[in-house]
Amino acid sequence: MFFRLFALAFALLLCQATPAAAQKRPRPLKANESGSTFRSRFGNPERAADSLLRLMTLEERIGQLNLLTSDLDVTGASLRPQYRRDIEQGRVGAVFNAYGVDFVRKLQETAVKNSRLKIPLLFGYDVIHGHKTIFPMPLAMACSWDIGRIEAAQRIAAVEAASMGLDWTFAPMVDIARDPRWGRVMEGAGEDTYLGSLIAAAQVRGFQGRGIGDVLSVMACAKHYAAYGAAQAGRDYNTVDMSERVLRDVYLPPFKAATDAGAATFMTSFNELDGIPATANRFLLDQVLRKEWGFKGFVVTDYTAIMEMLFHGTAKDSAEAGMQAILAGTDMDMQSAIFIKFLPDLVRQGKVPEAAVNQAARRILIKKFELGLFDDPYRRLSPEREKANVLTPAHRLASREMAARSCVLLKNEREALPLKAGIKRLALIGPLANAAHDMIGGWSAAGEDKHSISLMAGLQNHPALKGVTFQLEKGIDVEKPEPADLPGIRKAVDAAQGADVIVLALGESKDMSAEASSRSNIKLPGSQEDLVAAMRARYPNTPIVAVLFNGRPLDLSDVLGNVDALLEAWYPGTEAGNGVADVLTGAYNPSGKLTMSFPRNLGQVPIFYNQKNTGRPENPKEKYTSKYLDVPNDPLFPFGFGLSYTKFSYGAPQLSATSMGMGDSLRVSVTVTNAGTRLGEEVVQLYVRDLVGSVTRPVKELKGFRKIRLAPGASEMVSFTLRAKDLAFYTAEMQFRAEPGTFRVMTGPNSADVQAAEFTLR
Ligand code: NOJ
């Protein structure tokens, strides 16, 4: 009886609240309404969700589990008529690919005015590295090793997204990636678990800000759970097979870090893992995510992933696929519409317990309450905020600074960079010299190239290059193959005649990476290598600087010898040209370091610094050791590598003790000196090797880093603290703990160039 009354009171409250709110224009947010100070008038979201659930029919509850696309990108701001009817009938809980306050308002009104229970929709979108102000692609941002700035970048992304009506981003992508063929490496933080975990947490903090109740926050979605980055042969969506130990040691920690940082949602991955598609994987969703980690949010599938179980071959039909997904712990169905079609009958037939549906709907409704959508379904829909908060000069400046900090200087000889103050003629050549379109990268979703700055524009407008004459020539396309002697290359080479310096803008076009963009060849596409060679042949004495725009580590072996300087700029975002010009001119001294190894050739892939030693470690003098006949095992550029315009010298690591107990800590200190002539920043790195374990351990693992700034001649002692928990791993018994024994500590400017000391853990 009491229940009924409570439910009725709740229903009345909803009926009163929503039509009134619908008529009102959103009022400006008061300070005490945002962030963690936001208090819903429904009180505890769990209890509110429970009472609402009691009012809902089975279909309405299943409706909450249904996520559909609005087709914004394809058809403009419209919705298929069937979707509109579904919303009105309470058969849709969330919509994605719809943003902009006017459009979102229309959709929200459909739900709030026309559906029986007036439950607001949730609006999600792929806000991966910026919404309108596009930041460098995530792998590029990771190369800044600047956790604070990465968080700040995603805060800006959240402010813009929320100001355009979004509640939820499908980010961060926290997949560890060791295979540059995979097009989605651009979307993650690279190959390292420790760094990837810090970056995962920072992004969640950035997106969710002071709490998802803040009108300027969006819910984060850690994806793609799990092990999607280990697709066989680097081919997108391909099978994944790995030991539980590797899964737990290498691939899961960034997801755990996202959970600990409070990520509101998770997305399942497309791949299978140990024969079970992730979307129906009880081990991942129930055992690890919910039971071990205590995740309280909801899990959405990736796009049509439930339907794809038919192709995986683990479900005979859609109904069975839907049943497997919900029973494994998936809450929301993205775009398969299988839950909404089949769950009602599956429940009625007793194949799926009603409790499973209730639990999923409850998890989703709780987030809607926490977002404040029941207090005011239009609270993120303020035209004033949309106007004021998007593509602001401050956001663009942050993006420009990040673009400069994401660049990695891979080679710099004959002092080719920074560009000399006295240059009079600069030849800017190549397919990406004036390619604003490509600068924002393949996952820029709502980003528009009309706002982005090409390298040409950035250089031409840079104050440091005032008065310089530019000789511009595209020469060739990114991809179109052209023999070296054909006109495009000749034109490009001729155009550089008389230049003091030649800047080549090369790389991949933006659609060559991101989703469904794996490559079986990771060299510069088309005839770009020929262009570089022809340029070098004609101008042996003119400095040649190559600037690379691309989404993955490339095989640069045949480029390296033909250029004096090589700057990896990735896809730098809206402010690409300005940020890269800051680096080329020396207005910013580059400090980026690679977070994925660059192989010597594709045959070395997968290649990563934290490999195992094997029983026959590489020895060039001995035939029967683990190596190639044609190239050494090490990469062309190792993890952690990146040059500066100044030089840093490193002392040997000093340990506070040579042995430590399980409950103790140990300090590792290293003195770093700026031995060059410019102010610069350096990422000081700490690696550890566990020399003997109950299972084999990597030859080194990143355990700490510090980004420092040093004036010429200045030194700083950088200290790291190590505790037993930093040395823990999954032992032979699959227990996560450190084992006693000897550890090698290594410090240095990258993973290959290190000095070592040893200690024992008692
Ligand atoms: C598929 C992608 O794998 C995923 O990352 C993305 O969030 C969804 N599509 C929605 O666009």
Side-chain angles (χ1 to χ4, degrees), residues 96-97 125-126 128 170-171 173 184 187 221 223-224 228 236-237 267-268 270 301-303 334 443 515:
F96 69 119
N97 292 339
Y125 196 66
D126 287 289
I128 309 292
F170 301 141
M173 191 278 223
R184 301 199 79 166
E187 218 184 316
C221 181
K223 72 186 189 186
H224 307 81
Y228 184 39
D236 206 4
Y237 317 122
M267 184 186 291
T268 62
F270 285 122
T301 71
D302 204 340
Y303 202 101
M334 185 195 288
W443 250 122
E515 192 182 346

PDB file of all heavy atoms in Angstrom, residues 96-97 125-126 128 170-171 173 184 187 221 223-224 228 236-237 267-268 270 301-303 334 443 515, ligand 1:
ATOM      1  N   PHE A  96      21.651   8.942 -29.993  1.00  0.00           N
ATOM      2  CA  PHE A  96      22.998   9.459 -30.261  1.00  0.00           C
ATOM      3  C   PHE A  96      23.061  10.058 -31.652  1.00  0.00           C
ATOM      4  O   PHE A  96      22.145   9.918 -32.460  1.00  0.00           O
ATOM      5  CB  PHE A  96      24.090   8.415 -30.004  1.00  0.00           C
ATOM      6  CG  PHE A  96      24.140   7.241 -30.954  1.00  0.00           C
ATOM      7  CD1 PHE A  96      25.268   7.012 -31.730  1.00  0.00           C
ATOM      8  CD2 PHE A  96      23.093   6.342 -31.039  1.00  0.00           C
ATOM      9  CE1 PHE A  96      25.340   5.907 -32.581  1.00  0.00           C
ATOM     10  CE2 PHE A  96      23.150   5.244 -31.887  1.00  0.00           C
ATOM     11  CZ  PHE A  96      24.274   5.030 -32.666  1.00  0.00           C
ATOM     12  N   ASN A  97      24.146  10.780 -31.883  1.00  0.00           N
ATOM     13  CA  ASN A  97      24.315  11.521 -33.133  1.00  0.00           C
ATOM     14  C   ASN A  97      23.274  12.631 -33.286  1.00  0.00           C
ATOM     15  O   ASN A  97      22.843  12.929 -34.396  1.00  0.00           O
ATOM     16  CB  ASN A  97      24.277  10.597 -34.355  1.00  0.00           C
ATOM     17  CG  ASN A  97      25.497   9.689 -34.397  1.00  0.00           C
ATOM     18  OD1 ASN A  97      26.512  10.012 -33.782  1.00  0.00           O
ATOM     19  ND2 ASN A  97      25.400   8.581 -35.081  1.00  0.00           N
ATOM     20  N   TYR A 125      27.115  11.108 -27.849  1.00  0.00           N
ATOM     21  CA  TYR A 125      27.823  11.440 -29.094  1.00  0.00           C
ATOM     22  C   TYR A 125      29.297  11.082 -28.941  1.00  0.00           C
ATOM     23  O   TYR A 125      29.816  10.999 -27.832  1.00  0.00           O
ATOM     24  CB  TYR A 125      27.677  12.941 -29.377  1.00  0.00           C
ATOM     25  CG  TYR A 125      28.020  13.319 -30.805  1.00  0.00           C
ATOM     26  CD1 TYR A 125      27.244  12.883 -31.873  1.00  0.00           C
ATOM     27  CD2 TYR A 125      29.126  14.115 -31.076  1.00  0.00           C
ATOM     28  CE1 TYR A 125      27.560  13.228 -33.172  1.00  0.00           C
ATOM     29  CE2 TYR A 125      29.448  14.475 -32.380  1.00  0.00           C
ATOM     30  CZ  TYR A 125      28.665  14.022 -33.427  1.00  0.00           C
ATOM     31  OH  TYR A 125      28.968  14.354 -34.711  1.00  0.00           O
ATOM     32  N   ASP A 126      29.958  10.930 -30.069  1.00  0.00           N
ATOM     33  CA  ASP A 126      31.400  10.657 -30.032  1.00  0.00           C
ATOM     34  C   ASP A 126      32.189  11.961 -29.912  1.00  0.00           C
ATOM     35  O   ASP A 126      32.560  12.565 -30.914  1.00  0.00           O
ATOM     36  CB  ASP A 126      31.828   9.920 -31.305  1.00  0.00           C
ATOM     37  CG  ASP A 126      31.372   8.480 -31.308  1.00  0.00           C
ATOM     38  OD1 ASP A 126      31.924   7.688 -30.527  1.00  0.00           O
ATOM     39  OD2 ASP A 126      30.449   8.149 -32.075  1.00  0.00           O
ATOM     40  N   ILE A 128      35.441  12.784 -29.001  1.00  0.00           N
ATOM     41  CA  ILE A 128      36.639  11.981 -28.743  1.00  0.00           C
ATOM     42  C   ILE A 128      37.831  12.860 -28.382  1.00  0.00           C
ATOM     43  O   ILE A 128      38.554  12.595 -27.428  1.00  0.00           O
ATOM     44  CB  ILE A 128      36.989  11.123 -29.986  1.00  0.00           C
ATOM     45  CG1 ILE A 128      35.764  10.333 -30.469  1.00  0.00           C
ATOM     46  CG2 ILE A 128      38.171  10.202 -29.706  1.00  0.00           C
ATOM     47  CD1 ILE A 128      35.278   9.257 -29.554  1.00  0.00           C
ATOM     48  N   PHE A 170      30.953   9.200 -25.901  1.00  0.00           N
ATOM     49  CA  PHE A 170      31.475   7.836 -26.047  1.00  0.00           C
ATOM     50  C   PHE A 170      32.994   7.906 -26.007  1.00  0.00           C
ATOM     51  O   PHE A 170      33.686   7.600 -26.983  1.00  0.00           O
ATOM     52  CB  PHE A 170      30.982   7.216 -27.344  1.00  0.00           C
ATOM     53  CG  PHE A 170      29.480   7.145 -27.454  1.00  0.00           C
ATOM     54  CD1 PHE A 170      28.845   7.405 -28.661  1.00  0.00           C
ATOM     55  CD2 PHE A 170      28.699   6.798 -26.363  1.00  0.00           C
ATOM     56  CE1 PHE A 170      27.459   7.335 -28.782  1.00  0.00           C
ATOM     57  CE2 PHE A 170      27.309   6.723 -26.468  1.00  0.00           C
ATOM     58  CZ  PHE A 170      26.692   7.001 -27.677  1.00  0.00           C
ATOM     59  N   ALA A 171      33.535   8.302 -24.917  1.00  0.00           N
ATOM     60  CA  ALA A 171      34.972   8.440 -24.729  1.00  0.00           C
ATOM     61  C   ALA A 171      35.223   8.448 -23.215  1.00  0.00           C
ATOM     62  O   ALA A 171      34.294   8.755 -22.457  1.00  0.00           O
ATOM     63  CB  ALA A 171      35.476   9.742 -25.367  1.00  0.00           C
ATOM     64  N   MET A 173      38.500   6.408 -25.105  1.00  0.00           N
ATOM     65  CA  MET A 173      38.900   5.125 -25.646  1.00  0.00           C
ATOM     66  C   MET A 173      40.211   4.773 -24.942  1.00  0.00           C
ATOM     67  O   MET A 173      41.176   5.514 -25.047  1.00  0.00           O
ATOM     68  CB  MET A 173      39.100   5.279 -27.154  1.00  0.00           C
ATOM     69  CG  MET A 173      39.272   3.983 -27.896  1.00  0.00           C
ATOM     70  SD  MET A 173      40.956   3.367 -27.807  1.00  0.00           S
ATOM     71  CE  MET A 173      41.208   2.842 -29.465  1.00  0.00           C
ATOM     72  N   ARG A 184      42.686   2.379 -35.293  1.00  0.00           N
ATOM     73  CA  ARG A 184      42.172   3.062 -34.106  1.00  0.00           C
ATOM     74  C   ARG A 184      43.253   3.366 -33.079  1.00  0.00           C
ATOM     75  O   ARG A 184      42.935   3.861 -31.998  1.00  0.00           O
ATOM     76  CB  ARG A 184      41.046   2.240 -33.492  1.00  0.00           C
ATOM     77  CG  ARG A 184      39.921   2.035 -34.477  1.00  0.00           C
ATOM     78  CD  ARG A 184      38.625   1.641 -33.832  1.00  0.00           C
ATOM     79  NE  ARG A 184      37.948   2.788 -33.260  1.00  0.00           N
ATOM     80  CZ  ARG A 184      36.670   2.768 -32.875  1.00  0.00           C
ATOM     81  NH1 ARG A 184      35.970   1.675 -32.983  1.00  0.00           N
ATOM     82  NH2 ARG A 184      36.106   3.842 -32.366  1.00  0.00           N
ATOM     83  N   GLU A 187      43.178   6.753 -31.511  1.00  0.00           N
ATOM     84  CA  GLU A 187      42.126   7.149 -30.578  1.00  0.00           C
ATOM     85  C   GLU A 187      42.481   6.860 -29.122  1.00  0.00           C
ATOM     86  O   GLU A 187      41.759   7.227 -28.204  1.00  0.00           O
ATOM     87  CB  GLU A 187      40.879   6.338 -30.952  1.00  0.00           C
ATOM     88  CG  GLU A 187      39.595   7.043 -30.839  1.00  0.00           C
ATOM     89  CD  GLU A 187      38.438   6.106 -31.131  1.00  0.00           C
ATOM     90  OE1 GLU A 187      38.512   5.324 -32.101  1.00  0.00           O
ATOM     91  OE2 GLU A 187      37.483   6.136 -30.384  1.00  0.00           O
ATOM     92  N   CYS A 221      32.415   7.455 -21.063  1.00  0.00           N
ATOM     93  CA  CYS A 221      32.134   6.062 -21.420  1.00  0.00           C
ATOM     94  C   CYS A 221      33.471   5.394 -21.754  1.00  0.00           C
ATOM     95  O   CYS A 221      34.056   5.674 -22.804  1.00  0.00           O
ATOM     96  CB  CYS A 221      31.199   6.015 -22.625  1.00  0.00           C
ATOM     97  SG  CYS A 221      30.755   4.354 -23.134  1.00  0.00           S
ATOM     98  N   LYS A 223      35.809   2.856 -23.198  1.00  0.00           N
ATOM     99  CA  LYS A 223      35.588   1.902 -24.284  1.00  0.00           C
ATOM    100  C   LYS A 223      36.933   1.484 -24.850  1.00  0.00           C
ATOM    101  O   LYS A 223      37.925   2.189 -24.614  1.00  0.00           O
ATOM    102  CB  LYS A 223      34.687   2.520 -25.365  1.00  0.00           C
ATOM    103  CG  LYS A 223      35.354   3.606 -26.233  1.00  0.00           C
ATOM    104  CD  LYS A 223      34.347   4.241 -27.162  1.00  0.00           C
ATOM    105  CE  LYS A 223      35.028   5.138 -28.168  1.00  0.00           C
ATOM    106  NZ  LYS A 223      34.081   5.866 -28.994  1.00  0.00           N
ATOM    107  N   HIS A 224      37.014   0.412 -25.572  1.00  0.00           N
ATOM    108  CA  HIS A 224      35.979  -0.557 -25.882  1.00  0.00           C
ATOM    109  C   HIS A 224      36.333  -1.774 -25.046  1.00  0.00           C
ATOM    110  O   HIS A 224      37.411  -2.356 -25.249  1.00  0.00           O
ATOM    111  CB  HIS A 224      35.977  -0.902 -27.360  1.00  0.00           C
ATOM    112  CG  HIS A 224      35.892   0.336 -28.251  1.00  0.00           C
ATOM    113  ND1 HIS A 224      36.966   1.116 -28.575  1.00  0.00           N
ATOM    114  CD2 HIS A 224      34.828   0.904 -28.869  1.00  0.00           C
ATOM    115  CE1 HIS A 224      36.564   2.115 -29.388  1.00  0.00           C
ATOM    116  NE2 HIS A 224      35.287   2.007 -29.580  1.00  0.00           N
ATOM    117  N   TYR A 228      40.023  -4.720 -27.326  1.00  0.00           N
ATOM    118  CA  TYR A 228      39.769  -4.411 -28.746  1.00  0.00           C
ATOM    119  C   TYR A 228      41.071  -4.066 -29.469  1.00  0.00           C
ATOM    120  O   TYR A 228      41.240  -4.343 -30.658  1.00  0.00           O
ATOM    121  CB  TYR A 228      38.793  -3.236 -28.763  1.00  0.00           C
ATOM    122  CG  TYR A 228      38.273  -2.742 -30.092  1.00  0.00           C
ATOM    123  CD1 TYR A 228      37.950  -3.606 -31.131  1.00  0.00           C
ATOM    124  CD2 TYR A 228      38.042  -1.371 -30.266  1.00  0.00           C
ATOM    125  CE1 TYR A 228      37.419  -3.105 -32.321  1.00  0.00           C
ATOM    126  CE2 TYR A 228      37.511  -0.875 -31.441  1.00  0.00           C
ATOM    127  CZ  TYR A 228      37.211  -1.742 -32.476  1.00  0.00           C
ATOM    128  OH  TYR A 228      36.694  -1.246 -33.638  1.00  0.00           O
ATOM    129  N   ASP A 236      40.762  -4.160 -38.093  1.00  0.00           N
ATOM    130  CA  ASP A 236      39.683  -3.718 -37.201  1.00  0.00           C
ATOM    131  C   ASP A 236      38.589  -4.778 -37.093  1.00  0.00           C
ATOM    132  O   ASP A 236      38.284  -5.469 -38.060  1.00  0.00           O
ATOM    133  CB  ASP A 236      39.088  -2.388 -37.687  1.00  0.00           C
ATOM    134  CG  ASP A 236      38.472  -1.604 -36.519  1.00  0.00           C
ATOM    135  OD1 ASP A 236      38.584  -2.056 -35.368  1.00  0.00           O
ATOM    136  OD2 ASP A 236      37.907  -0.523 -36.772  1.00  0.00           O
ATOM    137  N   TYR A 237      38.046  -4.874 -35.897  1.00  0.00           N
ATOM    138  CA  TYR A 237      36.952  -5.801 -35.544  1.00  0.00           C
ATOM    139  C   TYR A 237      37.408  -7.262 -35.489  1.00  0.00           C
ATOM    140  O   TYR A 237      36.590  -8.151 -35.261  1.00  0.00           O
ATOM    141  CB  TYR A 237      35.768  -5.731 -36.539  1.00  0.00           C
ATOM    142  CG  TYR A 237      35.356  -4.334 -36.967  1.00  0.00           C
ATOM    143  CD1 TYR A 237      35.358  -3.959 -38.310  1.00  0.00           C
ATOM    144  CD2 TYR A 237      34.935  -3.393 -36.023  1.00  0.00           C
ATOM    145  CE1 TYR A 237      34.949  -2.690 -38.704  1.00  0.00           C
ATOM    146  CE2 TYR A 237      34.534  -2.118 -36.408  1.00  0.00           C
ATOM    147  CZ  TYR A 237      34.545  -1.772 -37.761  1.00  0.00           C
ATOM    148  OH  TYR A 237      34.148  -0.526 -38.152  1.00  0.00           O
ATOM    149  N   MET A 267      31.495   0.923 -22.592  1.00  0.00           N
ATOM    150  CA  MET A 267      31.001   0.391 -23.873  1.00  0.00           C
ATOM    151  C   MET A 267      31.687  -0.943 -24.154  1.00  0.00           C
ATOM    152  O   MET A 267      32.903  -1.057 -24.022  1.00  0.00           O
ATOM    153  CB  MET A 267      31.302   1.368 -25.016  1.00  0.00           C
ATOM    154  CG  MET A 267      30.720   0.931 -26.360  1.00  0.00           C
ATOM    155  SD  MET A 267      31.241   1.995 -27.735  1.00  0.00           S
ATOM    156  CE  MET A 267      30.386   3.508 -27.357  1.00  0.00           C
ATOM    157  N   THR A 268      30.902  -1.926 -24.562  1.00  0.00           N
ATOM    158  CA  THR A 268      31.507  -3.212 -24.898  1.00  0.00           C
ATOM    159  C   THR A 268      32.225  -3.081 -26.247  1.00  0.00           C
ATOM    160  O   THR A 268      31.890  -2.226 -27.057  1.00  0.00           O
ATOM    161  CB  THR A 268      30.449  -4.324 -25.035  1.00  0.00           C
ATOM    162  OG1 THR A 268      29.567  -3.995 -26.108  1.00  0.00           O
ATOM    163  CG2 THR A 268      29.654  -4.488 -23.760  1.00  0.00           C
ATOM    164  N   PHE A 270      33.685  -4.696 -29.981  1.00  0.00           N
ATOM    165  CA  PHE A 270      33.146  -5.530 -31.057  1.00  0.00           C
ATOM    166  C   PHE A 270      33.715  -6.948 -31.032  1.00  0.00           C
ATOM    167  O   PHE A 270      33.104  -7.875 -31.549  1.00  0.00           O
ATOM    168  CB  PHE A 270      33.518  -4.927 -32.415  1.00  0.00           C
ATOM    169  CG  PHE A 270      32.721  -3.704 -32.813  1.00  0.00           C
ATOM    170  CD1 PHE A 270      33.349  -2.505 -33.088  1.00  0.00           C
ATOM    171  CD2 PHE A 270      31.341  -3.779 -32.950  1.00  0.00           C
ATOM    172  CE1 PHE A 270      32.623  -1.396 -33.496  1.00  0.00           C
ATOM    173  CE2 PHE A 270      30.602  -2.669 -33.356  1.00  0.00           C
ATOM    174  CZ  PHE A 270      31.247  -1.471 -33.628  1.00  0.00           C
ATOM    175  N   THR A 301      26.359  -1.268 -25.521  1.00  0.00           N
ATOM    176  CA  THR A 301      27.118  -2.026 -26.519  1.00  0.00           C
ATOM    177  C   THR A 301      27.744  -1.052 -27.502  1.00  0.00           C
ATOM    178  O   THR A 301      27.345   0.110 -27.569  1.00  0.00           O
ATOM    179  CB  THR A 301      26.204  -2.946 -27.356  1.00  0.00           C
ATOM    180  OG1 THR A 301      25.413  -2.128 -28.236  1.00  0.00           O
ATOM    181  CG2 THR A 301      25.305  -3.772 -26.476  1.00  0.00           C
ATOM    182  N   ASP A 302      28.675  -1.526 -28.291  1.00  0.00           N
ATOM    183  CA  ASP A 302      29.079  -0.748 -29.447  1.00  0.00           C
ATOM    184  C   ASP A 302      27.996  -0.939 -30.526  1.00  0.00           C
ATOM    185  O   ASP A 302      27.084  -1.763 -30.403  1.00  0.00           O
ATOM    186  CB  ASP A 302      30.470  -1.155 -29.954  1.00  0.00           C
ATOM    187  CG  ASP A 302      31.118  -0.010 -30.726  1.00  0.00           C
ATOM    188  OD1 ASP A 302      30.390   0.892 -31.184  1.00  0.00           O
ATOM    189  OD2 ASP A 302      32.354  -0.017 -30.892  1.00  0.00           O
ATOM    190  N   TYR A 303      28.127  -0.183 -31.583  1.00  0.00           N
ATOM    191  CA  TYR A 303      27.124  -0.077 -32.646  1.00  0.00           C
ATOM    192  C   TYR A 303      26.737  -1.457 -33.211  1.00  0.00           C
ATOM    193  O   TYR A 303      27.562  -2.141 -33.811  1.00  0.00           O
ATOM    194  CB  TYR A 303      27.735   0.777 -33.753  1.00  0.00           C
ATOM    195  CG  TYR A 303      26.773   1.439 -34.694  1.00  0.00           C
ATOM    196  CD1 TYR A 303      26.452   2.783 -34.551  1.00  0.00           C
ATOM    197  CD2 TYR A 303      26.211   0.746 -35.743  1.00  0.00           C
ATOM    198  CE1 TYR A 303      25.585   3.414 -35.424  1.00  0.00           C
ATOM    199  CE2 TYR A 303      25.336   1.365 -36.615  1.00  0.00           C
ATOM    200  CZ  TYR A 303      25.030   2.707 -36.448  1.00  0.00           C
ATOM    201  OH  TYR A 303      24.177   3.319 -37.319  1.00  0.00           O
ATOM    202  N   MET A 334      22.986  -0.512 -28.430  1.00  0.00           N
ATOM    203  CA  MET A 334      23.189   0.567 -29.397  1.00  0.00           C
ATOM    204  C   MET A 334      22.833   0.069 -30.795  1.00  0.00           C
ATOM    205  O   MET A 334      23.546  -0.750 -31.376  1.00  0.00           O
ATOM    206  CB  MET A 334      24.646   1.068 -29.376  1.00  0.00           C
ATOM    207  CG  MET A 334      24.871   2.275 -30.287  1.00  0.00           C
ATOM    208  SD  MET A 334      26.607   2.642 -30.650  1.00  0.00           S
ATOM    209  CE  MET A 334      27.203   3.301 -29.123  1.00  0.00           C
ATOM    210  N   TRP A 443      38.565  11.163 -36.282  1.00  0.00           N
ATOM    211  CA  TRP A 443      37.534  10.980 -35.255  1.00  0.00           C
ATOM    212  C   TRP A 443      37.063  12.321 -34.715  1.00  0.00           C
ATOM    213  O   TRP A 443      36.819  12.469 -33.522  1.00  0.00           O
ATOM    214  CB  TRP A 443      38.051  10.120 -34.100  1.00  0.00           C
ATOM    215  CG  TRP A 443      37.398   8.765 -34.056  1.00  0.00           C
ATOM    216  CD1 TRP A 443      38.039   7.562 -34.115  1.00  0.00           C
ATOM    217  CD2 TRP A 443      35.983   8.458 -33.935  1.00  0.00           C
ATOM    218  NE1 TRP A 443      37.123   6.528 -34.066  1.00  0.00           N
ATOM    219  CE2 TRP A 443      35.851   7.052 -33.956  1.00  0.00           C
ATOM    220  CE3 TRP A 443      34.824   9.222 -33.835  1.00  0.00           C
ATOM    221  CZ2 TRP A 443      34.628   6.399 -33.857  1.00  0.00           C
ATOM    222  CZ3 TRP A 443      33.598   8.567 -33.749  1.00  0.00           C
ATOM    223  CH2 TRP A 443      33.517   7.170 -33.754  1.00  0.00           C
ATOM    224  N   GLU A 515      38.252   4.391 -37.142  1.00  0.00           N
ATOM    225  CA  GLU A 515      37.533   3.119 -37.263  1.00  0.00           C
ATOM    226  C   GLU A 515      37.548   2.592 -38.696  1.00  0.00           C
ATOM    227  O   GLU A 515      37.473   3.370 -39.660  1.00  0.00           O
ATOM    228  CB  GLU A 515      36.082   3.299 -36.794  1.00  0.00           C
ATOM    229  CG  GLU A 515      35.390   1.960 -36.624  1.00  0.00           C
ATOM    230  CD  GLU A 515      33.934   2.071 -36.210  1.00  0.00           C
ATOM    231  OE1 GLU A 515      33.507   3.148 -35.793  1.00  0.00           O
ATOM    232  OE2 GLU A 515      33.238   1.054 -36.315  1.00  0.00           O
TER     233      GLU A 515
HETATM  234  C1  NOJ B   1      31.418   2.486 -33.378  1.00  0.00           C
HETATM  235  C2  NOJ B   1      32.685   2.772 -32.650  1.00  0.00           C
HETATM  236  O1  NOJ B   1      33.431   1.588 -32.470  1.00  0.00           O
HETATM  237  C3  NOJ B   1      32.482   3.425 -31.290  1.00  0.00           C
HETATM  238  O2  NOJ B   1      33.714   3.791 -30.771  1.00  0.00           O
HETATM  239  C4  NOJ B   1      31.541   4.580 -31.389  1.00  0.00           C
HETATM  240  O3  NOJ B   1      31.383   5.189 -30.141  1.00  0.00           O
HETATM  241  C5  NOJ B   1      30.224   4.103 -31.955  1.00  0.00           C
HETATM  242  N1  NOJ B   1      30.433   3.533 -33.279  1.00  0.00           N
HETATM  243  C6  NOJ B   1      29.189   5.205 -32.023  1.00  0.00           C
HETATM  244  O4  NOJ B   1      29.495   6.103 -33.004  1.00  0.00           O
END
